Amino acid sequence: MFLDTDFIPPKYTQTVEKGNFKWTAPSNIALVKYWGKKENQIPANPSVSFTLNNCKTITKLAFAKKEDSLNFSFDLLFEGQSKEDFKPKINKFFERVAHYLPFLKDYHFTIDTENTFPHSSGIASSASGMAALAMNLMSVERQLYPAMTDEYFYQKASFLARLGSGSACRSVKGQVVAWGNQANITGSSDLFGVEFPYVIHDNFKNYQDTILLVDKGEKQVSSTVGHDLMHDHPYASTRFAQAHDNLDKLITIFESGDLDAFIKVVESEALTLHAMMMTSMPYFILMKPNTLEIINAIWKFRNETKVPVCFTLDAGANVHVLYPKNVSEKVLQFIQDELVGYCQNGQYICDEIGNGANQL
Ligand code: PMV
């Protein structure tokens, strides 16, 4: 089993004055949801996600040795413009990971970041953003310690991303990533995400995710607050046990390609996530009327056509419509005809399963 201390590096063997890297990392969509955490971003239950392909963050990191090693020093640019209000989040991230990246105070960093999806689309950029930053920082560390293995490089990148935003640890690799200790998933860990290590049926290759933008506004309740509310939640222990069960079910489903069983697990997980929000104290609702309209329309369409399309939700009102590639044409027509009207300004994003972070 891995321990936190496994990610404290040995003494660096090289010195580097300056340099720059550029990485892209995608967003991901959970099938079994992470909701509730312990100290240090340790998940209360395991989760599994599809890595996305098109919704990505692209981050350039330039670094140059500075005179002293007293403090963190960085500039933050978003789409080329200085972005002061993102700085506290990065500063907090640096504080959390400094123990594992002892070079952090030796350099001044310029972090230049942009997303491929529209700003304030309601799509969280924390997963892709933290993953892209973590990849860049690992590239710096690899220069200081070239003997590190590729496996360590990716594992530690996921470990660092997790400390930035839990679900970000699932954005380093593709195509299906599990995070959190699960007895039946060899190599699984609370500390980082792992590529799903078992057979995945062809039905899930090129799986599609069309994200319907129902509400692009700021969430009234952040994920951080939502996770916290699981601490005194009356259904917490049952929910955490259910996540383990659902993950076990998915192992079998991924192998058999049973789409009906897949739909049952995935939709139940989405509604359970929101049920946890509605039954916490204080309680809250992130779905909007149009979220429900879309869910009902999907159920009706599936009943009538037998097309295996389903939905999932993250911590917001937007709906992720999931379906196999071979029914794309039918589902996109259905979205055009019946669902676009429920989207804010008719906006939606076509995405699909992808391979994880990439160096540019
Ligand atoms: O990574 P966070 O702290 O933003 O939490 C994300 C939680 C969900 O998106 C609702 C579920 C998940 O597993 O991604």
Side-chain angles (χ1 to χ4, degrees):
M1 208 173 83
F2 277 89
L3 301 172
D4 276 51
T5 45
D6 291 320
F7 295 104
I8 298 172
K11 200 166 161 19
Y12 296 139
T13 55
Q14 307 293 312
T15 53
V16 180
E17 283 305 309
K18 60 179 183 170
N20 58 80
F21 293 104
K22 190 176 185 182
W23 278 87
T24 151
S27 187
N28 69 76
I29 181 67
L31 306 169
V32 170
K33 307 290 181 180
Y34 149 59
W35 199 242
K37 63 177 161 186
K38 306 175 197 167
E39 282 271 290
N40 300 325
Q41 304 276 98
I42 296 300
N45 65 259
S47 57
V48 69
S49 52
F50 282 154
T51 304
L52 296 181
N53 193 51
N54 303 334
C55 290
K56 291 187 289 211
T57 298
I58 302 151
T59 300
K60 259 192 308 202
L61 182 78
F63 59 102
K65 256 269 167 63
K66 59 185 177 70
E67 306 257 290
D68 64 69
S69 298
L70 297 173
N71 295 304
F72 302 127
S73 167
F74 64 91
D75 292 316
L76 188 73
L77 307 176
F78 180 69
E79 294 176 348
Q81 308 280 329
S82 170
K83 190 85 182 164
E84 288 300 310
D85 43 331
F86 284 5
K87 282 185 103 172
K89 207 171 175 185
I90 302 295
N91 205 68
K92 197 164 161 204
F93 173 64
F94 275 14
E95 277 169 12
R96 281 188 190 161
V97 299
H99 189 49
Y100 308 100
L101 297 174
F103 64 84
L104 271 188
K105 288 184 178 163
D106 299 341
Y107 294 94
H108 174 78
F109 296 96
T110 306
I111 306 164
D112 189 349
T113 187
E114 60 185 291
N115 298 327
T116 57
F117 44 92
H119 187 45
S120 73
S121 58
I123 299 188
S125 57
S126 53
S128 52
M130 286 300 173
L133 183 54
M135 299 311 300
N136 276 304
L137 291 171
M138 282 312 293
S139 284
V140 178
E141 181 160 84
R142 183 150 61 183
Q143 284 209 320
L144 298 166
Y145 189 72
M148 85 171 55
T149 62
D150 238 30
E151 190 185 10
Y152 180 85
F153 177 87
Y154 280 98
Q155 238 164 33
K156 183 165 172 181
S158 175
F159 171 89
L160 298 173
R162 185 196 101 241
L163 291 169
S165 171
S167 59
C169 76
R170 298 187 313 238
S171 276
V172 165
K173 286 282 186 169
Q175 299 193 349
V176 178
V177 176
W179 167 40
N181 289 333
Q182 173 82 346
N184 292 325
I185 300 186
T186 309
S188 62
S189 171
D190 282 346
L191 300 181
F192 49 83
V194 296
E195 264 176 294
F196 184 77
Y198 307 118
V199 177
I200 298 179
H201 192 278
D202 277 352
N203 282 352
F204 298 105
K205 299 272 154 72
N206 303 313
Y207 225 71
Q208 304 289 299
D209 178 6
T210 302
I211 309 163
L212 306 180
L213 304 179
V214 171
D215 186 61
K216 307 193 290 174
E218 278 282 303
K219 280 186 270 184
Q220 309 100 308
V221 182
S222 70
S223 298
T224 311
V225 171
H227 286 296
D228 263 1
L229 290 173
M230 288 305 284
H231 280 127
D232 298 312
H233 198 290
Y235 307 135
S237 58
T238 317
R239 159 58 198 155
F240 300 147
Q242 179 199 41
H244 282 275
D245 282 353
N246 280 341
L247 191 46
D248 275 344
K249 282 185 187 151
L250 276 184
I251 297 173
T252 315
I253 290 167
F254 279 137
E255 185 170 359
S256 68
D258 183 343
L259 292 177
D260 289 338
F262 176 78
I263 288 170
K264 278 197 188 114
V265 170
V266 168
E267 291 191 343
S268 165
E269 274 289 322
L271 294 179
T272 300
L273 168 69
H274 284 257
M276 290 301 110
M277 299 172 187
M278 289 193 258
T279 48
S280 57
M281 190 55 76
Y283 41 81
F284 58 104
I285 301 180
L286 295 183
M287 290 187 282
K288 297 282 178 191
N290 282 352
T291 311
L292 296 181
E293 294 285 3
I294 291 167
I295 290 173
N296 279 305
I298 290 172
W299 284 344
K300 185 162 177 279
F301 175 78
R302 192 167 73 221
N303 254 329
E304 287 170 3
T305 62
K306 307 295 171 219
V307 171
V309 53
C310 71
F311 71 87
T312 189
L313 307 166
D314 55 18
N318 295 335
V319 182
H320 289 249
V321 185
L322 301 177
Y323 50 97
K325 175 97 175 155
N326 66 357
V327 294
S328 285
E329 213 172 303
K330 282 184 198 148
V331 174
L332 286 171
Q333 191 62 52
F334 159 63
I335 289 172
Q336 276 297 336
D337 294 346
E338 293 184 48
L339 303 185
V340 165
Y342 299 123
C343 300
Q344 230 177 42
N345 307 322
Q347 277 186 293
Y348 62 91
I349 297 174
C350 292
D351 211 332
E352 60 184 344
I353 270 197
N355 292 320
N358 221 346
Q359 187 166 12
L360 301 174

